[in-house]
Amino acid sequence: PRNNRVRIVEVGARDGLQNEKKTISTDTKLDLISRLAKTGLRDIEAGSFVSPKWVPQMATSNEILESIIKETPDSKYPINYSFLAPNIKGFEAAMAVLKAAGHTARPDAPKIEFSVFAAATESFTQKNLNCDIATSLERFKPVIQGAKDAGYRVRGYISTVLGCPFEGYDVDPHKVAEVATDLLEMGVDEIALGDTTGMGTAPRTAELLRAMTAAGIRNEDMAMHFHDTFGQALVNTAVSLEHGIRTFDSSVGGLGGCPYSPGATGNVATEDMVYFLESLGMDTGVDLDAVADIGAWITKEIEKPNSSSVGKAVLGR
Ligand code: HMG
Ligand code: MG
C-alpha cells in the first residue's frame, strides 16, 4: 500500500527564533510552543543548548525545557520536543534540567530528543562550531552516547548539503554521505539534511539523494530541512518525496535564518508545507488553519513579516 503519512518537524521555536536580534521573552516562546502543540504537529524543536555568547536568543532554553517537562503543553497526541546540543557542555546543561525535574524517558513522560549538528563543509563548520568537521564529530560522540544511554532519541543535522555560504554551490554529495554515515555509526536515529542557504535546486536535490542511497542510507533515516531563501524549498520537497523521503522540517510563518549563514532567510513555512503535501494527497495530521493563525500571531508578536504565502492567503490578508 502507498504510504501517505508525512512527518513534519516544526523548527520555528528554534531555527525560527535563534537569529532574532531582539530578545523574545520565555513566555512568548512557551506560548508559541503550546499553541503549536494543539495543531496536530507531533515533532516540535524547542530550543538549543549552545553558547549564549554565540546565540543569545537561545540562552533561556533551560527554562523552556523545564517548563515543557513540568507543565507539558496540552495536546491530543504525545509530542517529541527536541533540543540542539553540540557538545558535552550543552548536553550536561540539558541533562541537569531533566534530572532536577525528575524526567526519565518513561513512556508517559513528555518525549525529549537531542540534536547534534554537523556540516558538509569545513568553512561552515569553523564559523558555526569553531572547529573542523572531524573535531565536531568527536564532540558529538559523548552527546549521542549519553543521550542514547538515558533513553533519548538523537537527530544528526548536516548543514550546507546543497550549498555553503562560504564555499558556494560546490558541495560534494559524497562528503554529505560520508558525514551521514559517520553520524549513523555513532548512533543517531535520523539524519536531517540542511539546505542552510536555500541554494538547492531540483536536480541537485535529486543528485544528493541518489548519492545518499548509493551510500546505503535508508530513506526512513533521513529528513529534509529546506530554507526557502531562493524559493525552491517546495520544489525540492517534491523531488525528495519522489525519492521516498517522508520527513520534512518547516517553521511556522517561515520564521528564521541561521546566524552563521549570512543572508539566509527562514525555513520553508509550515503552512506552505502542509498545504502542498495535502494537495498531493499526503496526510500530515496538521490543521492548516490553526498553523496559519499561529504564523500570523507570532510574526506580529516579533514584528516580522509573515513569509508564508499560504498563511496569508488562507487568512485573506
Ligand atoms: P567555542 O568558543 O569554541 O567554545 O565555541 P569553548 O568550548 O572554547 O567555550 C567557550 C565558552 O562557551 C566557555 O564559556 C564555555 O563554557 C561556553 P566562558 O568560559 O567563555 O564563559 N560554552 C557553552 N555554553 C553554553 N552551552 C554550551 C557551551 N559550550 C561552550 N553548549 C561552541 C564552541 C560550540 C560552544 C560555539 O561555537 C557555539 O555555541 N556554536 C553554536 C552555533 C549555533 O547555535 N548555530 C546555530 C544552530 S545550527 C543551524 O542553525 C543549522 C540547522 O538549522 C541546519 C541547517 O539549516 O543547515 C541545524
Ligand atoms: Mg536551519
Side-chain angles (χ1 to χ4, degrees), residues 146-203:
K148 302 296 293 181
D149 289 349
Y152 299 107
R153 194 171 176 274
V154 184
R155 157 179 262 213
Y157 277 105
I158 306 175
S159 284
T160 64
V161 300
L162 291 167
C164 173
F166 314 105
E167 296 179 31
Y169 282 91
D170 263 344
V171 177
D172 182 3
H174 300 101
K175 182 65 194 176
V176 181
E178 192 186 304
V179 175
T181 303
D182 287 347
L183 287 169
L184 287 165
E185 279 172 3
M186 284 156 62
V188 304
D189 298 284
E190 171 184 73
I191 296 290
L193 296 174
D195 183 12
T196 319
T197 61
M199 284 171 167
T201 60

Side-chain angles (χ1 to χ4, degrees), residues 7 9-11 14 43-50 80-88 90-91 94 112-118 129 139-140 143-144 147-148 152-158 183 188-192 223 225 249:
R7 183 170 149 245
V9 179
E10 169 61 50
V11 298
R14 193 279 304 174
D43 293 271
I44 299 178
E45 197 167 65
S48 183
F49 285 84
V50 294
N80 302 312
Y81 293 98
S82 58
F83 290 83
L84 271 53
N87 57 17
I88 193 69
F91 176 67
I112 304 298
E113 287 185 16
F114 288 96
S115 295
V116 295
F117 48 102
L129 290 170
R139 289 179 183 165
F140 299 154
V143 177
I144 297 167
K148 302 296 293 181
Y152 299 107
R153 194 171 176 274
V154 184
R155 157 179 262 213
Y157 277 105
I158 306 175
L183 287 169
V188 304
D189 298 284
E190 171 184 73
I191 296 290
H225 176 102
D249 295 5

Side-chain angles (χ1 to χ4, degrees), residues 8-129:
I8 295 185
V9 179
E10 169 61 50
V11 298
R14 193 279 304 174
D15 210 346
L17 299 184
Q18 68 181 4
N19 205 27
E20 285 305 312
K21 298 287 168 289
K22 225 173 77 185
T23 307
I24 300 158
S25 74
T26 304
D27 282 349
T28 300
K29 290 174 186 164
L30 287 169
D31 195 356
L32 172 61
I33 291 166
S34 71
R35 287 173 193 238
L36 291 168
K38 295 183 186 70
T39 61
L41 285 160
R42 289 161 189 258
D43 293 271
I44 299 178
E45 197 167 65
S48 183
F49 285 84
V50 294
S51 162
K53 284 179 195 146
W54 286 59
V55 187
Q57 193 63 256
M58 291 290 108
T60 53
S61 291
N62 55 343
E63 294 170 37
I64 306 280
L65 175 55
E66 186 184 11
S67 173
I68 286 171
I69 300 160
K70 292 192 173 163
E71 294 159 57
T72 308
D74 276 345
S75 120
K76 291 191 196 125
Y77 313 97
I79 291 176
N80 302 312
Y81 293 98
S82 58
F83 290 83
L84 271 53
N87 57 17
I88 193 69
K89 175 141 188 143
F91 176 67
E92 280 174 353
M95 285 306 283
V97 175
L98 290 168
K99 280 182 188 142
H103 186 269
T104 51
R106 298 187 310 265
D108 58 329
K111 292 213 179 344
I112 304 298
E113 287 185 16
F114 288 96
S115 295
V116 295
F117 48 102
T121 57
E122 290 292 352
S123 46
F124 185 82
T125 307
Q126 278 298 341
K127 288 276 201 282
N128 200 39
L129 290 170

